[in-house]
Amino acid sequence: MSHSHSGTLDLGSSLFIPVLITVTAFALYFYAAWSSNRRCRQWPTYRYACFIIGVLCSASAVTGPLADWAHLDFRAHMLGHLLLGMLGPLLIVLSSPLTLALRTMKVYWARRVTRLLRSRPLLLITHPISAAILNIGGLWLIYGTGLYTAMQYSMLIHTLVHFHVFAAGYLFTASMIYTEPIPHRTSYTFRSLTMIVAFAGHGILSKRIYANPPEGIPLDQGQTGGLLMYYGGDLIDLVLIFIFCLQWYRSFHPTFVTHSSKRKSEIFEGDRNGLF
């Protein structure tokens, strides 16, 4: 069965908002880094690179040539899924935007933000199990129901689905590898078990897509998209696993434990009152 595109969305008219969000994200991040560097230790160069590439990966999935192609070809859509829901969030998490924001804020506002991070609603959505359900469960809902087809004809659904894919991917990644001063933390063992189940759910879904593509998707596109989701997802998962294992190793190595404690004390260097 071929995918009919008559009456589908015109994505060209929605270019302004994604570009505005991208430019704003860059402006805020670089302003925060500049402001932080004046008062604290220099912000690491690799974090700039992670943020730039992560934002560009995420933006490319919702605007530009790839986004236009994705609306016509399921294989391009799946590539956009990997960029928006996996690689982009991973790189942005590694850029530690929350830590940078806290270093830049006035003490009053930084304390309000940390109080929010300790709240029960944040505890719920940042818990590894909740984040995994939002991430993998959301993908099953998109590709296992008529939601994928519906998003091709409704700008509201299209926008909400893409927002969910990015936000859920970010929350899941942030709940697996801790690069920010998050107060609600779980053990490495618990997170590793959650990752195994989540990765299995992602892999099973990709196989389901390979065998039974969403309605209206040609079989060849569905099979290629399923393979891309399976093997491309595995590659990104391997990076996530490597970082997770490296953090686990460092948590038990005396040299890294001492260094980590020192770095935590320097996050808000220059803030006499402290936040943690």
Side-chain angles (χ1 to χ4, degrees):
M1 182 185 299
S2 61
H3 193 179
S4 174
H5 303 292
S6 58
T8 55
L9 297 176
D10 176 15
L11 297 181
S13 61
S14 60
L15 178 65
F16 175 73
I17 293 179
V19 171
L20 178 62
I21 293 174
T22 301
V23 172
T24 301
F26 282 142
L28 289 175
Y29 191 87
F30 282 98
Y31 171 77
W34 171 79
S35 178
S36 174
N37 288 341
R38 295 176 60 193
R39 300 182 294 116
C40 308
R41 192 176 60 174
Q42 290 293 305
W43 194 242
T45 302
Y46 80 89
R47 286 183 176 169
Y48 292 100
C50 286
F51 187 79
I52 293 171
I53 299 172
V55 170
L56 290 178
C57 284
S58 301
S60 68
V62 295
T63 187
L66 178 61
D68 294 336
W69 182 28
H71 198 59
L72 303 173
D73 193 312
F74 185 73
R75 294 164 293 191
H77 165 83
M78 193 54 67
L79 176 59
H81 155 70
L82 294 176
L83 294 175
L84 180 66
M86 298 186 71
L87 184 58
L90 173 60
L91 291 170
I92 294 175
V93 166
L94 292 176
S95 73
S96 302
L98 177 59
T99 298
L100 180 59
L102 289 172
R103 283 175 46 148
T104 306
M105 292 177 183
K106 294 183 181 298
V107 174
Y108 171 78
W109 290 109
R111 284 177 171 163
R112 291 180 69 89
V113 171
T114 54
R115 191 176 301 118
L116 176 64
L117 292 175
R118 297 188 181 99
S119 64
R120 288 188 178 276
L122 264 293
L123 169 61
L124 176 62
I125 65 173
T126 59
H127 191 276
I129 292 181
S130 302
I133 292 174
L134 287 172
N135 189 27
I136 307 303
L139 294 178
W140 274 88
L141 185 63
I142 294 170
Y143 299 114
T145 66
L147 190 57
Y148 173 79
T149 302
M151 65 181 282
Q152 308 302 321
Y153 297 91
S154 169
M155 180 57 72
L156 176 61
I157 297 176
H158 184 271
T159 302
L160 290 176
V161 166
H162 280 83
F163 174 78
H164 171 82
V165 169
F166 173 79
Y170 182 88
L171 284 173
F172 175 74
T173 305
S175 71
M176 293 296 111
I177 53 173
Y178 294 143
T179 61
E180 308 274 23
I182 299 175
H184 306 298
R185 297 179 177 237
T186 57
S187 69
Y188 284 99
T189 301
F190 182 83
R191 280 180 282 153
S192 65
L193 293 174
T194 305
M195 273 199 295
I196 291 172
V197 175
F199 293 163
H202 192 266
I204 294 171
L205 177 59
S206 65
K207 293 179 180 179
R208 184 182 188 278
I209 291 173
Y210 181 91
N212 184 29
E215 181 182 357
I217 300 299
L219 182 61
D220 62 330
Q221 289 189 22
Q223 290 179 339
T224 304
L227 290 173
L228 185 60
M229 181 179 182
Y230 186 85
Y231 291 107
D234 278 355
L235 286 176
I236 300 172
D237 287 341
L238 282 175
V239 177
L240 179 61
I241 292 170
F242 173 79
I243 296 170
F244 177 82
C245 291
L246 181 61
Q247 289 182 339
W248 199 343
Y249 167 75
R250 287 181 170 180
S251 70
F252 288 102
H253 196 285
T255 302
F256 288 117
V257 170
T258 302
H259 179 65
S260 177
S261 299
K262 181 180 178 182
R263 285 188 67 244
K264 287 179 182 178
S265 68
E266 292 175 346
I267 289 178
F268 299 103
E269 183 181 279
D271 172 15
R272 296 179 180 177
N273 296 313
L275 294 171
F276 296 98

PDB file of all heavy atoms in Angstrom, residues 188 247-257:
ATOM      1  N   TYR A 188      22.793   3.073  40.440  1.00  0.00           N
ATOM      2  CA  TYR A 188      23.243   2.633  39.124  1.00  0.00           C
ATOM      3  C   TYR A 188      22.592   1.304  38.745  1.00  0.00           C
ATOM      4  O   TYR A 188      22.225   1.090  37.582  1.00  0.00           O
ATOM      5  CB  TYR A 188      24.769   2.499  39.094  1.00  0.00           C
ATOM      6  CG  TYR A 188      25.477   3.827  39.011  1.00  0.00           C
ATOM      7  CD1 TYR A 188      26.006   4.430  40.149  1.00  0.00           C
ATOM      8  CD2 TYR A 188      25.621   4.480  37.790  1.00  0.00           C
ATOM      9  CE1 TYR A 188      26.650   5.654  40.070  1.00  0.00           C
ATOM     10  CE2 TYR A 188      26.270   5.700  37.701  1.00  0.00           C
ATOM     11  CZ  TYR A 188      26.791   6.282  38.850  1.00  0.00           C
ATOM     12  OH  TYR A 188      27.431   7.499  38.772  1.00  0.00           O
ATOM     13  N   GLN A 247      30.492   6.720  34.217  1.00  0.00           N
ATOM     14  CA  GLN A 247      30.077   7.377  35.456  1.00  0.00           C
ATOM     15  C   GLN A 247      30.051   6.376  36.608  1.00  0.00           C
ATOM     16  O   GLN A 247      30.453   6.707  37.729  1.00  0.00           O
ATOM     17  CB  GLN A 247      28.692   8.003  35.269  1.00  0.00           C
ATOM     18  CG  GLN A 247      28.667   9.212  34.362  1.00  0.00           C
ATOM     19  CD  GLN A 247      27.273   9.820  34.261  1.00  0.00           C
ATOM     20  OE1 GLN A 247      26.266   9.164  34.540  1.00  0.00           O
ATOM     21  NE2 GLN A 247      27.205  11.067  33.858  1.00  0.00           N
ATOM     22  N   TRP A 248      29.589   5.171  36.337  1.00  0.00           N
ATOM     23  CA  TRP A 248      29.535   4.130  37.372  1.00  0.00           C
ATOM     24  C   TRP A 248      30.945   3.799  37.857  1.00  0.00           C
ATOM     25  O   TRP A 248      31.199   3.701  39.057  1.00  0.00           O
ATOM     26  CB  TRP A 248      28.849   2.889  36.806  1.00  0.00           C
ATOM     27  CG  TRP A 248      28.334   1.939  37.846  1.00  0.00           C
ATOM     28  CD1 TRP A 248      28.678   1.892  39.174  1.00  0.00           C
ATOM     29  CD2 TRP A 248      27.359   0.908  37.650  1.00  0.00           C
ATOM     30  NE1 TRP A 248      27.989   0.893  39.816  1.00  0.00           N
ATOM     31  CE2 TRP A 248      27.162   0.263  38.910  1.00  0.00           C
ATOM     32  CE3 TRP A 248      26.635   0.455  36.549  1.00  0.00           C
ATOM     33  CZ2 TRP A 248      26.285  -0.796  39.070  1.00  0.00           C
ATOM     34  CZ3 TRP A 248      25.749  -0.600  36.722  1.00  0.00           C
ATOM     35  CH2 TRP A 248      25.579  -1.214  37.960  1.00  0.00           C
ATOM     36  N   TYR A 249      31.866   3.656  36.919  1.00  0.00           N
ATOM     37  CA  TYR A 249      33.258   3.358  37.276  1.00  0.00           C
ATOM     38  C   TYR A 249      33.851   4.492  38.103  1.00  0.00           C
ATOM     39  O   TYR A 249      34.494   4.258  39.135  1.00  0.00           O
ATOM     40  CB  TYR A 249      34.073   3.144  36.007  1.00  0.00           C
ATOM     41  CG  TYR A 249      35.567   3.131  36.236  1.00  0.00           C
ATOM     42  CD1 TYR A 249      36.201   2.028  36.818  1.00  0.00           C
ATOM     43  CD2 TYR A 249      36.346   4.233  35.896  1.00  0.00           C
ATOM     44  CE1 TYR A 249      37.571   2.017  37.035  1.00  0.00           C
ATOM     45  CE2 TYR A 249      37.710   4.233  36.112  1.00  0.00           C
ATOM     46  CZ  TYR A 249      38.319   3.126  36.679  1.00  0.00           C
ATOM     47  OH  TYR A 249      39.671   3.132  36.904  1.00  0.00           O
ATOM     48  N   ARG A 250      33.615   5.709  37.669  1.00  0.00           N
ATOM     49  CA  ARG A 250      34.192   6.856  38.380  1.00  0.00           C
ATOM     50  C   ARG A 250      33.612   7.005  39.778  1.00  0.00           C
ATOM     51  O   ARG A 250      34.277   7.520  40.677  1.00  0.00           O
ATOM     52  CB  ARG A 250      33.945   8.149  37.574  1.00  0.00           C
ATOM     53  CG  ARG A 250      34.804   8.254  36.325  1.00  0.00           C
ATOM     54  CD  ARG A 250      34.534   9.552  35.592  1.00  0.00           C
ATOM     55  NE  ARG A 250      35.514   9.774  34.530  1.00  0.00           N
ATOM     56  CZ  ARG A 250      35.514  10.838  33.738  1.00  0.00           C
ATOM     57  NH1 ARG A 250      34.565  11.765  33.859  1.00  0.00           N
ATOM     58  NH2 ARG A 250      36.443  10.968  32.807  1.00  0.00           N
ATOM     59  N   SER A 251      32.364   6.564  39.966  1.00  0.00           N
ATOM     60  CA  SER A 251      31.745   6.696  41.290  1.00  0.00           C
ATOM     61  C   SER A 251      32.420   5.811  42.333  1.00  0.00           C
ATOM     62  O   SER A 251      32.290   6.057  43.529  1.00  0.00           O
ATOM     63  CB  SER A 251      30.256   6.343  41.214  1.00  0.00           C
ATOM     64  OG  SER A 251      30.069   4.956  40.994  1.00  0.00           O
ATOM     65  N   PHE A 252      33.146   4.794  41.890  1.00  0.00           N
ATOM     66  CA  PHE A 252      33.828   3.891  42.812  1.00  0.00           C
ATOM     67  C   PHE A 252      35.342   4.094  42.834  1.00  0.00           C
ATOM     68  O   PHE A 252      36.024   3.515  43.676  1.00  0.00           O
ATOM     69  CB  PHE A 252      33.537   2.426  42.448  1.00  0.00           C
ATOM     70  CG  PHE A 252      32.131   2.012  42.762  1.00  0.00           C
ATOM     71  CD1 PHE A 252      31.181   1.928  41.755  1.00  0.00           C
ATOM     72  CD2 PHE A 252      31.741   1.729  44.061  1.00  0.00           C
ATOM     73  CE1 PHE A 252      29.879   1.553  42.042  1.00  0.00           C
ATOM     74  CE2 PHE A 252      30.447   1.348  44.353  1.00  0.00           C
ATOM     75  CZ  PHE A 252      29.508   1.261  43.343  1.00  0.00           C
ATOM     76  N   HIS A 253      35.858   4.906  41.921  1.00  0.00           N
ATOM     77  CA  HIS A 253      37.302   5.121  41.858  1.00  0.00           C
ATOM     78  C   HIS A 253      37.666   6.295  42.762  1.00  0.00           C
ATOM     79  O   HIS A 253      37.152   7.398  42.574  1.00  0.00           O
ATOM     80  CB  HIS A 253      37.731   5.407  40.423  1.00  0.00           C
ATOM     81  CG  HIS A 253      39.208   5.276  40.203  1.00  0.00           C
ATOM     82  ND1 HIS A 253      40.103   6.224  40.650  1.00  0.00           N
ATOM     83  CD2 HIS A 253      39.943   4.316  39.582  1.00  0.00           C
ATOM     84  CE1 HIS A 253      41.322   5.858  40.307  1.00  0.00           C
ATOM     85  NE2 HIS A 253      41.259   4.701  39.660  1.00  0.00           N
ATOM     86  N   PRO A 254      38.533   6.113  43.746  1.00  0.00           N
ATOM     87  CA  PRO A 254      38.850   7.171  44.726  1.00  0.00           C
ATOM     88  C   PRO A 254      39.262   8.491  44.091  1.00  0.00           C
ATOM     89  O   PRO A 254      38.823   9.556  44.525  1.00  0.00           O
ATOM     90  CB  PRO A 254      40.004   6.566  45.540  1.00  0.00           C
ATOM     91  CG  PRO A 254      39.842   5.095  45.394  1.00  0.00           C
ATOM     92  CD  PRO A 254      39.288   4.871  44.018  1.00  0.00           C
ATOM     93  N   THR A 255      40.083   8.453  43.036  1.00  0.00           N
ATOM     94  CA  THR A 255      40.551   9.686  42.398  1.00  0.00           C
ATOM     95  C   THR A 255      39.399  10.471  41.817  1.00  0.00           C
ATOM     96  O   THR A 255      39.274  11.679  42.005  1.00  0.00           O
ATOM     97  CB  THR A 255      41.570   9.366  41.294  1.00  0.00           C
ATOM     98  OG1 THR A 255      42.661   8.652  41.857  1.00  0.00           O
ATOM     99  CG2 THR A 255      42.079  10.655  40.650  1.00  0.00           C
ATOM    100  N   PHE A 256      38.494   9.756  41.115  1.00  0.00           N
ATOM    101  CA  PHE A 256      37.371  10.430  40.479  1.00  0.00           C
ATOM    102  C   PHE A 256      36.336  10.890  41.490  1.00  0.00           C
ATOM    103  O   PHE A 256      35.674  11.908  41.298  1.00  0.00           O
ATOM    104  CB  PHE A 256      36.721   9.509  39.448  1.00  0.00           C
ATOM    105  CG  PHE A 256      37.538   9.307  38.218  1.00  0.00           C
ATOM    106  CD1 PHE A 256      38.021   8.048  37.891  1.00  0.00           C
ATOM    107  CD2 PHE A 256      37.845  10.367  37.386  1.00  0.00           C
ATOM    108  CE1 PHE A 256      38.790   7.857  36.757  1.00  0.00           C
ATOM    109  CE2 PHE A 256      38.599  10.184  36.249  1.00  0.00           C
ATOM    110  CZ  PHE A 256      39.079   8.927  35.929  1.00  0.00           C
ATOM    111  N   VAL A 257      36.166  10.138  42.587  1.00  0.00           N
ATOM    112  CA  VAL A 257      35.214  10.555  43.625  1.00  0.00           C
ATOM    113  C   VAL A 257      35.654  11.876  44.229  1.00  0.00           C
ATOM    114  O   VAL A 257      34.853  12.798  44.415  1.00  0.00           O
ATOM    115  CB  VAL A 257      35.098   9.462  44.717  1.00  0.00           C
ATOM    116  CG1 VAL A 257      34.312   9.990  45.900  1.00  0.00           C
ATOM    117  CG2 VAL A 257      34.431   8.214  44.151  1.00  0.00           C
TER     118      VAL A 257
END
